[in-house]
Amino acid sequence: MILVDTSAWIEWLIGSPTGERLAGDLPEQGVWLVPTMVQLELVKWLTREAGEDEADQVIAFTQVCQVVPLDTDIALAAAQACREHKLATADAIVFATAHTRSATLLTCDTHFEGLPGVTLIKKIKR
């Protein structure tokens, strides 16, 4: 299982050099975990940058994946991740979702660097 962080989604969606690089690491939709927190972040970003129609299309794509709602187990694991790894709340929820589902977290955000279960694809400068 692979959980794709919002940063990786955005790089992939905009077709950046980083997005092209990580495309080979993206899973098939059936094993792609999508936390509801990532859905929220994607809708927020897409509505601002590309419009509601694009946001609707991406959310429809995510619904074919395995959507993981925030539950008590994930919330408690996220609180621990905040304390142990000094992550912001949204990042801790994404990290904890991957951890509780024994999934690899695929990200472009360097603040996840060195954390267990994380595959970091560093952004390529243009």
Side-chain angles (χ1 to χ4, degrees):
M1 295 283 204
I2 297 178
L3 189 157
V4 181
D5 182 42
T6 307
S7 63
W9 268 96
I10 291 171
E11 294 296 326
W12 179 62
L13 289 169
I14 65 173
S16 73
T18 304
E20 291 173 12
R21 184 172 163 215
L22 65 82
D25 292 321
L26 295 176
E28 293 185 28
Q29 281 181 286
V31 294
W32 188 324
L33 293 182
V34 181
T36 50
M37 178 59 69
V38 168
Q39 287 180 314
L40 180 154
E41 291 178 323
L42 284 172
V43 168
K44 181 179 166 185
W45 183 84
L46 283 162
T47 301
R48 182 181 67 240
E49 299 296 324
E52 288 185 31
D53 289 341
E54 184 71 20
D56 289 344
Q57 290 175 20
V58 171
I59 292 305
F61 177 93
T62 68
Q63 291 175 322
V64 178
C65 304
Q66 293 186 33
V67 176
V68 183
L70 176 59
D71 62 18
T72 301
D73 290 339
I74 294 170
L76 295 174
Q80 182 176 349
C82 285
R83 287 189 307 273
E84 288 181 11
H85 304 298
K86 308 295 186 230
L87 294 173
T89 300
D91 292 329
I93 291 169
V94 171
F95 178 77
T97 302
H99 181 72
T100 60
R101 295 298 178 105
S102 300
T104 299
L105 173 58
L106 179 63
T107 186
C108 299
D109 283 337
T110 57
H111 52 264
F112 288 111
E113 189 169 14
L115 297 182
V118 172
T119 298
L120 175 65
I121 306 293
K122 291 188 178 181
K123 290 183 183 179
I124 299 168
K125 306 231 191 232
R126 294 182 185 193

